[in-house]
Amino acid sequence: MAELLTLAAVARWLLYAGALVAVGRGTVAFLDPEWKAGARSVHDAAGPRSVARLAAVALLGAVALLLWGQLTALEMTRADIPVLLGQTSWGLGWSQLAGASALAAVALLLPMGRTTSLLLLMAALGVAVAMGGLGHAAADEQWPIGARLLDAMHVAAMGAWIGGLLCTVLIVRVPAFPLRDAAWRTFSRTATVMAPVTLASGVGSAARLLLGTAPAAILASDYGRLLVLKTVLAAVILFIGAGERRRIASGKMPESRRVWVELGVAGAVLLVTALLTGSEPPGE
């Protein structure tokens, strides 16, 4: 699988990470835009704002790396960019993704409130939809729109779940923030809905690509082995998350170490997903 770790895979990892933070920040801020630490919005405290800036850089860097990687793969130069973007389906998909990513990056840098969080959510959902134009869904001739919407649903739900977890961890660590229990309860309710949506949309996307393929052929492919690894990692996240949900429901705070392990495993899931998107499903 080492050959799958390409420039494009790094770009996709940055894209997924940036999109998840954008969706998570937008979701958390939209649900409770008036939360404050002292006189300042908790969403614009140093920690949450720094991660938002990193996510903006990740989104913009990802689209630049994707373009550079495509030029390199096709042995084209910068002078060929107008042709690549204006006369190919890949170029059209990239242009849509670049526009949505730029809008999301700008929204990530704005002070958070009800209106700006809604703008961020809309831009981040635009990124999620545009991702399908460069992935496996773009090659689906039977259900092109449905395939892209399913992938977008997967990214959006995971963003609200895992991105929301990261953003909640950051805001409850802000000094003088008095509503830590309320923040965790809000996240727990969101995760209870979004985790099943993430799983269902992921299973649907995989089934769409693998339906009718023999199990032996699936496991013999890089795609199949990566899918198994992603499934195992997702099960670990669910196991940890279920335990923390029980703690929150009983009025306790989540265990910090377990939450950071959950986020670390989620980062690994993003890497596996980046590799998965760049590999060929068996039978194609």
Side-chain angles (χ1 to χ4, degrees):
M1 296 183 190
E3 65 274 11
L4 296 175
L5 190 57
T6 62
L7 182 64
V10 173
R12 287 191 294 269
W13 187 88
L14 290 173
L15 185 64
Y16 298 153
L20 258 62
V21 171
V23 174
R25 179 170 168 82
T27 301
V28 172
F30 182 78
L31 291 175
D32 291 283
E34 304 302 324
W35 278 346
K36 294 184 181 297
R40 188 178 185 183
S41 170
V42 71
H43 305 293
D44 294 320
R49 192 154 185 79
S50 295
V51 170
R53 289 170 178 167
L54 288 174
V57 172
L59 287 172
L60 297 178
V63 293
L65 286 176
L66 285 171
L67 180 58
W68 181 22
Q70 188 72 357
L71 288 173
T72 302
L74 297 177
E75 298 183 347
M76 301 174 76
T77 67
R78 284 181 292 180
D80 299 313
I81 289 178
V83 174
L84 176 63
L85 299 185
Q87 300 181 20
T88 66
S89 58
W90 186 93
L92 176 61
W94 182 90
S95 297
Q96 294 171 345
L97 179 61
S101 296
L103 182 58
V106 170
L108 277 164
L109 301 179
L110 295 175
M112 281 291 99
R114 180 76 70 183
T115 301
T116 50
S117 63
L118 181 58
L119 174 62
L120 177 56
L121 276 174
M122 293 175 63
L125 291 176
V127 173
V129 172
M131 283 182 190
L134 299 177
H136 293 129
D140 193 315
E141 297 180 354
Q142 185 175 7
W143 303 102
I145 296 178
R148 291 182 64 167
L149 288 177
L150 195 62
D151 283 0
M153 184 187 303
H154 187 64
V155 174
M158 189 169 183
W161 174 23
I162 301 301
L165 174 60
L166 174 59
C167 292
T168 301
V169 168
L170 293 173
I171 66 173
V172 299
R173 291 168 64 89
V174 174
F177 178 54
L179 300 175
R180 292 179 174 86
D181 289 343
W184 280 120
R185 288 195 299 271
T186 298
F187 165 73
S188 182
R189 289 192 295 268
T190 301
T192 300
V193 175
M194 292 303 172
V197 174
T198 301
L199 295 177
S201 55
V203 169
S205 293
R208 176 180 59 82
L209 294 170
L210 299 176
L211 195 62
T213 304
I218 295 174
L219 294 177
S221 66
D222 284 338
Y223 183 93
R225 290 190 289 269
L226 286 168
L227 185 61
V228 170
L229 177 58
K230 181 179 178 179
T231 302
V232 171
L233 292 174
V236 172
I237 294 174
L238 284 172
F239 176 78
I240 297 174
E244 297 312 297
R245 182 178 182 277
R246 287 193 294 270
R247 287 182 61 86
I248 293 170
S250 65
K252 300 177 182 177
M253 297 286 283
E255 292 184 8
S256 179
R257 183 172 59 85
R258 289 170 62 89
V259 170
W260 284 110
V261 169
E262 185 177 359
L263 287 170
V265 177
V269 168
L270 292 187
L271 177 58
V272 173
T273 303
L275 299 175
L276 195 65
T277 306
S279 62
E280 286 292 328
E284 291 196 358

